[in-house]
Amino acid sequence: MHPALTNPEPRGTPCLAAVMQASSSEIYLIDAASLHLVDLNAAARANLGYRREHLRGMTPLDLAPHLPASALHALLDQLGDEVGAQACLRTHHRRADGSAYPIKLTFLRTSRDGQALILAIGDDESAAQAASAALEHYRTRFDAIVSNTPGLVYQFVLNRDGSVAFPYLSEGCAALLGLTTAELQRDPGLFVHLILPEDRRAYLDSMAASAHAMSSWNWEGRIWIDAWKDVKWINLRSSPRALPEAPGSVQWEGIMSNITASKLEKLEVTRSRARLAELSAHSEQVKEQERTRIAREIHDELGGNLTAIKMALAMLAKRLPPDQPQLAEKTAYVDQLVDRTIDAVHRISLDLRPSMLDFGIVAALEWQVQEFEKQVGIGCSFVSSDKEIELSLDHATALFRIFQEALTNIAKHARASRVTVKLQRMRHHICLKVSDNGVGIAQADRLKPHSFGLRGMSERAQALGGTMVLAQPSGGGTAVTIKIKLTAPKELMMAAARLKTQETT
């Protein structure tokens, strides 16, 4: 006798044991000859919704109206007559309210007191099918998103032993890397060999840094696609997570994108800016050379002629007859006019090219500070870390022009009462800081399209391989810091070259 069977109620009718009655699975006891239900447990009755008296006399075909009788009889025939034999099928049971649910039934042969019985154990598959349908729905959505995502969606694993794997690769693999998904998953090491040797170290270092800090992995570099004999720029962005099932291993989920077009455009923009900066620097150099030439000609030619005129006037004044004071007055007026013209020539020459630059950048800046204080009336102090700082003439001139523009901006806009200038020589740089106690400069003013003064200062600093930074100190006002690389004057460079030649010979 099967352990599921006990003494019947009413007498002579088999019924399920208590353990079967309490089971969460649906359990049916069926008469093998008539296929009528003899008994069923509480789980079956609750799910079907029928009253117990209605169930007695029903058959499995009544509960599963869409199940062909031939299919059920064929299944039972497979069981044979041996007790303990079992077979399975999947069908749908219909509840008392007309709704249906999927169920898996396992049929077993049993008997009691010579009566042939069939025990059917049913598992409601509604939850499993719903989960499967939801999973399929999300998989379909995921596939749709991935298929419309430009690039390659991937999973990448770095194992504790250093080996790597690609558990998932989207269909964009071949288009981006020139390798099929199967090829790359079979040999994950192929990917690192696609990376150009000069970019490979940065790729490996960025991977190690991301794995160590468990931070986002963002890398861009070049790969060689042998199939197309072409170089591509790619960008890799992914997020890491630890794998509990593999301690010490890290898995990244992310996307690889083809950034060749944007990268080439960016490189072209960079080259264009570099060429523009070179042109701007050359233009400034030519302008300074032309200013120097004009200043020299004004000083030498015009200044010399004016001096000769003044000397001739002096000689003429001595020979004037004393009885003609009008001529003496006219001569004195012309002499004063010549003096003013000589002063104007001197001032214009200094504006075009300050002669103080011939004495070095420190002397030139100190002279400009004194001139600014005298002309504008704003107190100005100057401090230098060195009495003399060697700079090439071009660099000294450019730094001086930046300084002049900074003082001009203070005079026009700052409403300051005090200006502090500090020049400091560092190991490889020279730093000029100009601070004032004025009203400061707003961020919006810095970005105005017609802020040519600030833009010119910044471009001059960049042309020297340096930087210009605008800041607002905590005490108010504005601080302009210019930092440029130190360059040895031509004389020092030539001397160093001669010394090197002597050492070689």
Side-chain angles (χ1 to χ4, degrees), residues 30-226:
I30 305 169
D31 180 74
S34 65
L35 295 183
H36 289 154
L37 297 177
V38 176
D39 194 13
L40 63 166
N41 69 351
R45 294 195 303 272
N47 205 1
L48 289 169
Y50 288 102
R51 297 178 61 181
R52 190 166 191 158
E53 55 269 22
H54 290 162
L55 288 166
R56 291 186 182 277
M58 295 179 70
T59 69
L61 295 173
D62 296 324
L63 298 178
H66 298 292
L67 175 65
S70 59
L72 177 60
H73 288 298
L75 179 74
L76 297 178
D77 289 342
Q78 293 177 13
L79 292 175
D81 297 327
E82 183 180 352
V83 174
Q86 61 180 357
C88 299
L89 66 77
R90 281 183 167 83
T91 186
H92 284 76
H93 274 181
R94 184 174 61 188
R95 297 185 179 91
D97 61 6
S99 63
Y101 63 94
I103 188 168
K104 175 185 176 183
L105 291 169
T106 302
F107 295 91
L108 301 93
R109 288 279 186 187
T110 186
S111 66
R112 182 182 185 278
D113 297 333
Q115 181 180 359
L117 300 169
I118 297 173
L119 189 68
I121 302 174
D123 293 313
D124 186 346
E125 295 188 321
S126 299
Q129 288 193 7
S132 178
L135 179 62
E136 183 61 28
H137 173 69
Y138 285 118
R139 181 180 290 113
T140 301
R141 289 179 61 187
F142 175 76
D143 290 341
I145 293 171
V146 169
S147 63
N148 288 283
T149 299
L152 168 62
V153 179
Y154 71 96
Q155 287 180 323
F156 176 74
V157 174
L158 174 63
N159 294 307
R160 186 175 182 179
D161 61 2
S163 61
V164 298
F166 285 96
Y168 175 80
L169 292 164
S170 68
E171 294 180 358
C173 183
L176 181 64
L177 305 179
L179 297 172
T180 65
T181 298
E183 287 174 329
L184 192 52
Q185 288 182 326
R186 185 169 55 250
D187 187 1
L190 290 174
F191 178 74
V192 74
H193 291 295
L194 293 178
I195 302 172
L196 297 190
E198 52 267 37
D199 293 350
R200 201 170 294 163
R201 173 49 54 191
Y203 167 79
L204 296 173
D205 289 346
S206 63
M207 180 205 304
S210 175
H212 177 73
M214 294 303 287
S215 58
S216 296
W217 185 7
N218 185 8
W219 173 83
E220 62 180 37
R222 294 163 294 174
I223 60 174
W224 170 255
I225 310 299
D226 190 63

Side-chain angles (χ1 to χ4, degrees), residues 3-6 15-22 39:
L5 304 180
T6 62
C15 63
L16 295 170
V19 66
M20 291 290 185
Q21 291 287 357
D39 194 13

